[in-house]
Amino acid sequence: MAAVKNKVKFGLRNCHYALATMDDSQNVTFSTPVPIPGAVSLSLSAEGDNDPFYADDSVYFLVATNTGYSGDLEVAMIPESFLKDVLKETEDANGVIVENKDAEPAHFALLFEFTGDKKQIRHCMYYCSATRPAMEGDTKEDKTNVKTEKISITSTPLPNGIVKSKTGSNTSDTVYNDWYKAVYMPSATPASTETDTGA
């Protein structure tokens, strides 16, 4: 069967988070992904620099650094599970969610997908941290304006250098269908060097 290749991408859905745990040997394991419903927008900018080394009156060598991505995730409302699992807010005996200044947020993998003209493109950012969402609200007038919530996300490389992964035109059905069941870890050997045109 011929590989399905997208020409364009649009939309955002199926956001999930999976808690990341790093042991003393810097091995990272992930919990089962948990949905973040109500995705509105995601904007992550690449972090890093290209530093040229000049010799012989030209660029002799180019040092490229990849320190990950940073940006914002906007959703209808941050789920309580994310507040407790990632931002480490606690729920007391009366069911009240409590924020504490000494809480240390957890790292997590962020999974999501962009809609393509042929097939959804599924992504995983492996080692993310998040800030607390701002608080905002307006009085209700003659029409209801929904207020969304936004968190700032920083995604850094894993100790083995992996930053992110995404499904492509040659991704197997098994890997594609199981994307949100467990965090996918890339195989050690690349399958091919074919140019990616699936966005």
Side-chain angles (χ1 to χ4, degrees):
M1 181 181 293
V4 176
K5 296 184 179 181
N6 290 301
K7 294 182 179 180
V8 294
K9 63 179 179 179
F10 47 88
L12 171 68
R13 65 181 186 178
N14 274 338
C15 284
H16 288 66
Y17 71 91
L19 291 179
T21 302
M22 184 182 297
D23 63 20
D24 293 337
S25 300
Q26 291 195 316
N27 297 310
V28 179
T29 56
F30 298 95
S31 65
T32 301
V34 178
I36 305 176
V40 176
S41 68
L42 175 66
S43 177
L44 296 175
S45 299
E47 298 288 336
D49 294 304
N50 290 331
D51 296 320
F53 169 73
Y54 290 89
D56 293 334
D57 290 338
S58 64
V59 177
Y60 194 76
F61 184 72
L62 187 65
V63 179
T65 57
N66 181 344
T67 57
Y69 294 79
S70 65
D72 296 318
L73 171 64
E74 182 182 5
V75 299
M77 182 176 290
I78 305 298
E80 289 183 6
S81 62
F82 189 91
L83 296 177
K84 293 187 286 186
D85 293 342
V86 175
L87 300 182
K88 296 304 179 182
E89 298 185 10
T90 57
E91 183 175 356
D92 71 8
N94 296 310
V96 176
I97 309 298
V98 180
E99 178 182 320
N100 189 294
K101 74 177 183 66
D102 296 322
E104 294 186 10
H107 284 86
F108 61 98
L110 179 66
L111 297 83
F112 56 91
E113 66 185 53
F114 297 128
T115 303
D117 59 306
K118 298 294 185 181
K119 194 173 185 179
Q120 283 72 37
I121 308 156
R122 296 180 170 174
H123 292 251
C124 179
M125 315 295 293
Y126 283 99
Y127 205 59
C128 300
S129 58
T131 62
R132 293 170 294 136
M135 297 178 62
E136 184 180 3
D138 292 325
T139 188
K140 184 177 179 180
E141 299 179 353
D142 57 335
K143 64 178 181 178
T144 301
N145 294 314
V146 174
K147 286 294 183 181
T148 59
E149 295 184 333
K150 184 181 294 185
I151 53 176
S152 294
I153 290 177
T154 300
S155 174
T156 55
L158 291 171
N160 63 6
I162 294 174
V163 178
K164 70 181 184 74
S165 62
K166 68 175 182 177
T167 58
S169 57
N170 295 317
T171 301
S172 70
D173 289 341
T174 298
V175 169
Y176 186 87
N177 294 332
D178 291 346
W179 196 256
Y180 300 110
K181 294 180 181 178
V183 173
Y184 174 79
M185 290 304 295
S187 57
T189 305
S192 70
T193 56
E194 181 180 348
T195 301
D196 178 11
T197 59

